[in-house]
Amino acid sequence: MAAIYQAVCRRASSLICRFHSTYVRKMRYLNDLKEDDSLCRQAQTSGTFYLFHNLSPFLQQVGKQYLVPQVSAAEMKRILEKFKEAEQWIEKSVLIGCSDEHVPHFALDLGALEKSVVESELKGSFTDLRKALFVVDGKDSPLLASMSPVVITLVSDGSRCLLARQPSFPQGMYSALSGFCDMGENVEETVRREVAEEVGLEVESFQYSASQHWPFPSSCLMIACHALVREQQTEISMNSLELEEARWFDLEEIVEGLKREPGSSKQDDGRLLPWFPPKQAIAHQLIWEWVKQQTSQLA
């Protein structure tokens, strides 16, 4: 009875954490905006905008400080109406994040418009990016930087690791979670966001492993990390738009999967037994590192 009671408590705790998790709800909302064009267009009518002119960010000086202002959708429309085709310009904005209250943030480059008119209307100036990074407050500087690396993350709960399948994967292959860094994000923020978006879990701690460059024409830097989630919150809530399947694997399953050749073995129902990326892939390295860690703990 004690074991049943503990299991029920853990389950209830997991549900409460998930229900009250502002972070997961925020990440899910952001992902909805990315996946649903009509929802994103609607958000552009109520969100806030960070402005650029040929990649030079718009700043306002207040005393000795330089601020990166958030321009409301109403103010943005008022300014753009001076140039006509306001709707067309707003639709060119790029989603870069949202507040905890689900107010979406967009970046908009107005390089084709007369710079002095916008500066006069908003009482500020477009500033060279390199100079801007030195004069703005540290909390605002990530808003000015564009990041495009890919973070690949092996999630663990301490005794199991989480692997997933995308629809484009070869049959039977499972790998670590991955996703592009959003504008202004550091690696830690990307890891937390991707895990929340794709499997509905919150990262408690993470550790950098290595990096690998994707070959041409992708030419993206892949940054590999290990992430640990809370033991009380391990129930997967998969984003079916991103993933085909996601599940936990124990050490024995991983060791057996590493021995298999692609498509070499089938289950009783005809499906291929799980196999993992080849040795040259950085995902393979992450999985091997996890196996070594688990093995050393058992020794």
Side-chain angles (χ1 to χ4, degrees), residues 38-57:
S38 61
L39 184 64
C40 190
R41 283 193 294 271
Q42 181 181 347
Q44 287 170 330
T45 65
S46 60
T48 58
F49 295 80
Y50 296 95
L51 303 184
F52 296 78
H53 195 279
N54 293 325
L55 299 183
S56 294

Side-chain angles (χ1 to χ4, degrees), residues 53-274:
H53 195 279
N54 293 325
L55 299 183
S56 294
F58 181 78
L59 305 182
Q60 288 177 332
Q61 186 173 3
V62 179
K64 295 183 179 180
Q65 287 187 313
Y66 286 86
L67 306 178
V68 184
Q70 297 181 30
V71 182
S72 69
E75 183 73 353
M76 195 70 256
K77 186 175 181 180
R78 182 187 69 79
I79 295 169
L80 290 174
E81 282 176 346
K82 294 180 179 295
F83 300 91
K84 300 180 181 181
E85 300 181 342
E87 297 292 335
Q88 179 182 339
W89 274 103
I90 289 178
E91 287 184 1
K92 292 181 180 179
S93 61
V94 178
L95 179 70
I96 59 172
C98 76
S99 68
D100 289 341
E101 294 75 29
H102 292 188
V103 176
H105 303 317
F106 298 91
L108 179 58
D109 196 298
L110 302 175
L113 303 183
E114 181 60 43
K115 182 169 67 171
S116 60
V117 176
V118 180
E119 290 177 330
S120 176
E121 287 289 331
L122 291 176
K123 297 180 174 54
S125 61
F126 291 101
T127 307
D128 177 79
L129 178 58
R130 288 169 293 184
K131 178 183 177 182
L133 289 172
F134 283 99
V135 299
V136 300
D137 188 88
K139 66 180 177 59
D140 288 336
S141 58
L143 299 169
L144 309 183
S146 177
M147 301 179 68
S148 58
V150 172
V151 174
I152 182 165
T153 307
L154 186 67
V155 176
S156 175
D157 67 352
S159 60
R160 302 174 297 173
C161 69
L162 187 151
L163 298 175
R165 282 185 46 76
Q166 296 181 9
S168 60
F169 282 6
Q171 286 188 356
M173 192 189 87
Y174 289 76
S175 187
L177 303 179
S178 63
F180 285 95
C181 290
D182 277 351
M183 180 181 288
E185 280 187 331
N186 58 35
V187 174
E188 296 93 327
E189 290 168 337
T190 303
V191 168
R192 292 189 69 215
R193 175 180 56 77
E194 283 293 332
V195 174
E197 280 182 2
E198 296 193 359
V199 291
L201 301 176
E202 289 199 51
V203 170
E204 189 172 58
S205 63
F206 102 111
Q207 180 181 0
Y208 169 79
S209 171
S211 62
Q212 181 184 61
H213 209 278
W214 269 358
F216 182 86
S218 298
S219 300
C220 292
L221 180 67
M222 296 190 73
I223 302 171
C225 302
H226 292 273
L228 186 68
V229 298
R230 299 168 184 168
E231 291 183 3
Q232 303 93 330
Q233 187 190 7
T234 58
E235 182 184 353
I236 297 171
S237 174
M238 190 185 74
N239 182 343
S240 58
L241 294 175
E242 295 280 340
L243 302 175
E244 184 177 85
E245 187 178 355
R247 70 179 185 88
W248 292 104
F249 290 79
D250 61 27
L251 179 59
E252 183 179 356
E253 290 177 297
I254 292 293
V255 171
E256 289 300 315
L258 287 169
K259 296 176 183 177
R260 295 189 189 104
E261 295 293 328
S264 61
S265 305
K266 289 188 177 182
Q267 304 179 69
D268 293 338
D269 60 6
R271 293 191 302 165
L272 292 173
L273 287 168

